[in-house]
Amino acid sequence: MVVARHYISDGMLAAYASGNLPHPFALVVAAHVSMCEDCRVALEAHQTVGGAVLETTEVVNVSSELKNNILALLDDPVVATPVFRSSGVYPEPVMEVLKGQQPQWKKLGAGVKQSILSNDEQGSVRLLYIPAGQAVPDHSHGGLELTLVLQGSFSDETGHYGVGDVEVADENLDHTPIANAGPDCICLAATDAPLQFSQFLPRLLQPLFKI
Protein backbone atom coordinates (compact mmCIF):
# COMPACT_ATOMS: atom_id res chain seq x y z
CA MET A 1 0.00 0.00 0.00
CA VAL A 2 1.29 3.47 -0.89
CA VAL A 3 0.59 6.86 0.66
CA ALA A 4 -0.52 9.17 -2.14
CA ARG A 5 -0.30 12.95 -1.93
CA HIS A 6 -2.18 13.77 -5.13
CA TYR A 7 -5.59 12.10 -5.33
CA ILE A 8 -8.45 11.51 -7.74
CA SER A 9 -11.06 14.21 -7.16
CA ASP A 10 -14.26 13.38 -5.32
CA GLY A 11 -16.31 14.33 -8.38
CA MET A 12 -14.36 11.93 -10.59
CA LEU A 13 -14.74 9.14 -8.03
CA ALA A 14 -18.50 9.74 -8.07
CA ALA A 15 -18.52 9.61 -11.88
CA TYR A 16 -16.56 6.35 -11.79
CA ALA A 17 -18.93 4.85 -9.20
CA SER A 18 -21.92 5.71 -11.40
CA GLY A 19 -20.29 4.30 -14.55
CA ASN A 20 -20.09 7.67 -16.29
CA LEU A 21 -16.33 7.85 -16.95
CA PRO A 22 -14.93 6.97 -20.38
CA HIS A 23 -12.92 3.75 -20.31
CA PRO A 24 -9.43 5.35 -20.46
CA PHE A 25 -10.08 7.52 -17.39
CA ALA A 26 -11.94 4.71 -15.62
CA LEU A 27 -8.87 2.50 -15.93
CA VAL A 28 -6.65 5.16 -14.32
CA VAL A 29 -9.16 5.64 -11.50
CA ALA A 30 -9.40 1.88 -10.92
CA ALA A 31 -5.61 1.58 -10.83
CA HIS A 32 -5.26 4.52 -8.42
CA VAL A 33 -7.99 3.22 -6.12
CA SER A 34 -6.27 -0.17 -6.05
CA MET A 35 -3.17 1.59 -4.67
CA CYS A 36 -4.70 4.30 -2.44
CA GLU A 37 -6.69 3.28 0.64
CA ASP A 38 -8.15 6.77 1.19
CA CYS A 39 -9.68 6.88 -2.29
CA ARG A 40 -10.86 3.28 -1.96
CA VAL A 41 -12.83 4.24 1.15
CA ALA A 42 -14.24 7.30 -0.63
CA LEU A 43 -15.26 5.19 -3.63
CA GLU A 44 -17.03 2.66 -1.41
CA ALA A 45 -18.96 5.55 0.18
CA HIS A 46 -20.11 6.75 -3.25
CA GLN A 47 -21.14 3.22 -4.19
CA THR A 48 -23.13 2.86 -0.96
CA VAL A 49 -24.96 6.14 -1.59
CA GLY A 50 -25.62 5.17 -5.21
CA GLY A 51 -27.08 1.84 -4.12
CA ALA A 52 -29.36 3.54 -1.61
CA VAL A 53 -30.59 5.95 -4.30
CA LEU A 54 -31.39 3.08 -6.67
CA GLU A 55 -33.37 1.27 -4.00
CA THR A 56 -35.55 4.31 -3.32
CA THR A 57 -36.03 5.48 -6.93
CA GLU A 58 -39.38 4.84 -8.55
CA VAL A 59 -39.49 2.66 -11.66
CA VAL A 60 -39.84 4.74 -14.84
CA ASN A 61 -40.72 3.39 -18.27
CA VAL A 62 -38.19 4.28 -20.95
CA SER A 63 -38.38 4.45 -24.73
CA SER A 64 -37.19 1.58 -26.86
CA GLU A 65 -34.42 3.82 -28.23
CA LEU A 66 -33.08 4.54 -24.74
CA LYS A 67 -33.31 0.86 -23.84
CA ASN A 68 -31.31 -0.08 -26.95
CA ASN A 69 -28.68 2.55 -26.14
CA ILE A 70 -28.30 1.17 -22.63
CA LEU A 71 -27.98 -2.40 -23.90
CA ALA A 72 -25.37 -1.24 -26.42
CA LEU A 73 -23.20 -0.09 -23.53
CA LEU A 74 -22.72 -3.75 -22.63
CA ASP A 75 -20.29 -3.95 -25.55
CA ASP A 76 -17.99 -1.27 -24.05
CA PRO A 77 -14.71 -2.38 -22.42
CA VAL A 78 -15.07 -3.36 -18.77
CA VAL A 79 -12.64 -1.99 -16.20
CA ALA A 80 -11.64 -4.52 -13.58
CA THR A 81 -12.90 -3.99 -10.03
CA PRO A 82 -10.14 -2.22 -8.05
CA VAL A 83 -8.29 -4.56 -5.71
CA PHE A 84 -5.19 -3.93 -3.65
CA ARG A 85 -2.11 -5.15 -5.50
CA SER A 86 0.17 -7.59 -3.70
CA SER A 87 3.43 -7.04 -5.57
CA GLY A 88 4.96 -5.76 -8.77
CA VAL A 89 4.75 -2.45 -10.60
CA TYR A 90 1.37 -2.86 -12.28
CA PRO A 91 -1.91 -2.71 -10.31
CA GLU A 92 -4.43 -5.47 -10.88
CA PRO A 93 -6.71 -3.39 -13.19
CA VAL A 94 -3.72 -2.80 -15.48
CA MET A 95 -2.70 -6.44 -15.37
CA GLU A 96 -6.27 -7.36 -16.40
CA VAL A 97 -5.84 -5.27 -19.56
CA LEU A 98 -2.37 -6.73 -20.15
CA LYS A 99 -3.87 -10.22 -19.69
CA GLY A 100 -1.19 -11.00 -17.15
CA GLN A 101 1.66 -10.32 -19.58
CA GLN A 102 4.38 -7.67 -19.48
CA PRO A 103 3.84 -4.51 -21.59
CA GLN A 104 4.90 -4.51 -25.24
CA TRP A 105 7.10 -1.40 -25.27
CA LYS A 106 7.74 0.75 -28.35
CA LYS A 107 10.52 3.32 -28.40
CA LEU A 108 9.66 7.01 -28.70
CA GLY A 109 13.23 8.32 -28.52
CA ALA A 110 15.75 9.39 -25.84
CA GLY A 111 15.01 6.20 -23.92
CA VAL A 112 11.30 7.01 -23.54
CA LYS A 113 8.95 4.13 -24.39
CA GLN A 114 5.21 3.57 -24.48
CA SER A 115 2.76 0.69 -24.53
CA ILE A 116 -0.69 1.62 -25.83
CA LEU A 117 -3.45 -0.20 -23.92
CA SER A 118 -6.37 1.26 -25.86
CA ASN A 119 -6.96 4.01 -28.41
CA ASP A 120 -10.43 4.74 -29.73
CA GLU A 121 -13.11 7.43 -29.92
CA GLN A 122 -13.29 7.63 -26.12
CA GLY A 123 -9.61 8.53 -25.86
CA SER A 124 -6.37 6.70 -25.28
CA VAL A 125 -4.64 5.06 -22.32
CA ARG A 126 -1.01 4.01 -22.34
CA LEU A 127 1.92 3.07 -20.17
CA LEU A 128 4.89 5.42 -20.37
CA TYR A 129 8.48 4.52 -19.44
CA ILE A 130 10.71 7.54 -18.81
CA PRO A 131 14.36 7.05 -17.80
CA ALA A 132 15.49 8.91 -14.69
CA GLY A 133 16.58 12.43 -15.58
CA GLN A 134 14.79 12.41 -18.95
CA ALA A 135 12.15 15.01 -19.82
CA VAL A 136 8.97 14.59 -21.81
CA PRO A 137 8.80 17.35 -24.49
CA ASP A 138 6.99 20.51 -23.41
CA HIS A 139 3.29 20.24 -24.21
CA SER A 140 -0.19 21.50 -23.41
CA HIS A 141 -3.50 19.67 -23.74
CA GLY A 142 -6.51 19.70 -26.02
CA GLY A 143 -8.60 18.08 -23.30
CA LEU A 144 -8.13 16.17 -20.05
CA GLU A 145 -5.12 14.04 -19.12
CA LEU A 146 -4.77 11.81 -16.04
CA THR A 147 -1.29 10.51 -15.21
CA LEU A 148 -0.77 7.92 -12.45
CA VAL A 149 2.76 7.12 -11.27
CA LEU A 150 3.42 3.37 -10.93
CA GLN A 151 7.20 3.45 -10.41
CA GLY A 152 9.74 6.18 -9.72
CA SER A 153 8.59 9.79 -9.78
CA PHE A 154 8.44 12.92 -11.91
CA SER A 155 8.27 16.64 -11.39
CA ASP A 156 6.87 19.50 -13.44
CA GLU A 157 5.65 23.06 -13.01
CA THR A 158 2.88 21.90 -10.65
CA GLY A 159 4.96 19.84 -8.21
CA HIS A 160 6.39 16.39 -7.44
CA TYR A 161 4.52 13.15 -8.15
CA GLY A 162 5.53 9.80 -6.65
CA VAL A 163 4.11 6.27 -6.72
CA GLY A 164 0.31 6.35 -6.36
CA ASP A 165 0.01 10.06 -7.17
CA VAL A 166 -2.24 11.29 -9.98
CA GLU A 167 -1.68 14.49 -11.94
CA VAL A 168 -4.80 15.98 -13.52
CA ALA A 169 -3.97 18.23 -16.47
CA ASP A 170 -6.31 20.21 -18.71
CA GLU A 171 -6.23 22.95 -21.35
CA ASN A 172 -4.81 25.43 -18.84
CA LEU A 173 -1.60 23.49 -18.14
CA ASP A 174 1.56 23.78 -20.25
CA HIS A 175 4.28 21.64 -18.70
CA THR A 176 7.51 19.68 -19.13
CA PRO A 177 7.45 16.55 -16.94
CA ILE A 178 10.92 15.33 -15.92
CA ALA A 179 11.60 11.90 -14.38
CA ASN A 180 13.43 12.36 -11.09
CA ALA A 181 16.63 10.64 -9.99
CA GLY A 182 16.16 7.09 -8.72
CA PRO A 183 14.15 4.30 -10.36
CA ASP A 184 13.05 4.97 -13.94
CA CYS A 185 9.53 6.42 -14.03
CA ILE A 186 6.60 4.32 -15.26
CA CYS A 187 3.21 6.01 -15.57
CA LEU A 188 -0.30 5.12 -16.67
CA ALA A 189 -1.67 8.04 -18.71
CA ALA A 190 -5.12 8.62 -20.21
CA THR A 191 -6.20 11.42 -22.53
CA ASP A 192 -9.37 12.33 -24.41
CA ALA A 193 -7.61 14.55 -26.98
CA PRO A 194 -4.16 14.67 -28.61
CA LEU A 195 -1.37 16.46 -26.75
CA GLN A 196 -0.22 19.81 -28.12
CA PHE A 197 3.57 19.86 -28.39
CA SER A 198 5.43 23.15 -28.59
CA GLN A 199 8.45 21.73 -30.49
CA PHE A 200 8.41 20.87 -34.19
CA LEU A 201 9.87 17.33 -34.07
CA PRO A 202 7.38 15.93 -31.51
CA ARG A 203 4.53 17.47 -33.53
CA LEU A 204 5.91 15.84 -36.69
CA LEU A 205 6.12 12.39 -35.06
CA GLN A 206 2.83 12.68 -33.16
CA PRO A 207 0.61 10.87 -35.73
CA LEU A 208 3.11 7.99 -35.89
CA PHE A 209 3.19 7.53 -32.11
CA LYS A 210 -0.57 8.17 -31.65
CA ILE A 211 0.02 10.56 -28.76
Side-chain angles (χ1 to χ4, degrees), residues 21-28 75-79 93-94 96-99 103-104 114-128 146 187-194 209-211:
L21 274 185
H23 178 261
F25 296 138
L27 179 58
V28 176
D75 296 327
D76 288 349
V78 177
V79 177
V94 176
E96 288 283 341
V97 177
L98 292 171
K99 301 185 186 304
Q104 299 297 310
Q114 72 171 355
S115 178
I116 298 176
L117 303 184
S118 70
N119 185 26
D120 54 31
E121 67 279 355
Q122 290 188 318
S124 68
V125 59
R126 67 197 68 222
L127 291 165
L128 292 173
L146 298 184
C187 296
L188 177 68
T191 58
D192 59 4
F209 295 142
K210 301 178 181 180
I211 301 176

Side-chain angles (χ1 to χ4, degrees), residues 61-129:
N61 293 325
V62 299
S63 67
S64 57
E65 181 180 1
L66 178 56
K67 180 180 178 181
N68 290 335
N69 290 339
I70 293 173
L71 292 176
L73 295 175
L74 297 176
D75 296 327
D76 288 349
V78 177
V79 177
T81 302
V83 296
F84 290 123
R85 65 178 185 180
S86 57
S87 63
V89 172
Y90 306 107
E92 185 64 26
V94 176
M95 290 304 295
E96 288 283 341
V97 177
L98 292 171
K99 301 185 186 304
Q101 304 299 312
Q102 290 299 303
Q104 299 297 310
W105 296 108
K106 293 188 176 180
K107 297 179 180 179
L108 299 180
V112 179
K113 300 181 287 186
Q114 72 171 355
S115 178
I116 298 176
L117 303 184
S118 70
N119 185 26
D120 54 31
E121 67 279 355
Q122 290 188 318
S124 68
V125 59
R126 67 197 68 222
L127 291 165
L128 292 173
Y129 180 98

Side-chain angles (χ1 to χ4, degrees), residues 10 14 17-18 41-57:
D10 198 55
S18 63
V41 170
L43 175 62
E44 289 174 349
H46 283 296
Q47 292 171 330
T48 299
V49 171
V53 170
L54 288 176
E55 289 179 355
T56 58
T57 300

Side-chain angles (χ1 to χ4, degrees), residues 101-180:
Q101 304 299 312
Q102 290 299 303
Q104 299 297 310
W105 296 108
K106 293 188 176 180
K107 297 179 180 179
L108 299 180
V112 179
K113 300 181 287 186
Q114 72 171 355
S115 178
I116 298 176
L117 303 184
S118 70
N119 185 26
D120 54 31
E121 67 279 355
Q122 290 188 318
S124 68
V125 59
R126 67 197 68 222
L127 291 165
L128 292 173
Y129 180 98
I130 310 168
Q134 182 62 45
V136 175
D138 179 72
H139 63 276
S140 56
H141 307 84
L144 182 65
E145 179 184 47
L146 298 184
T147 304
L148 169 65
V149 180
L150 303 179
Q151 174 183 287
S153 63
F154 75 86
S155 298
D156 65 6
E157 291 78 354
T158 68
H160 174 92
Y161 297 84
V163 174
D165 287 336
V166 177
E167 181 178 49
V168 181
D170 58 20
E171 298 94 335
N172 298 314
L173 178 62
D174 189 327
H175 63 157
T176 308
I178 301 175
N180 297 317

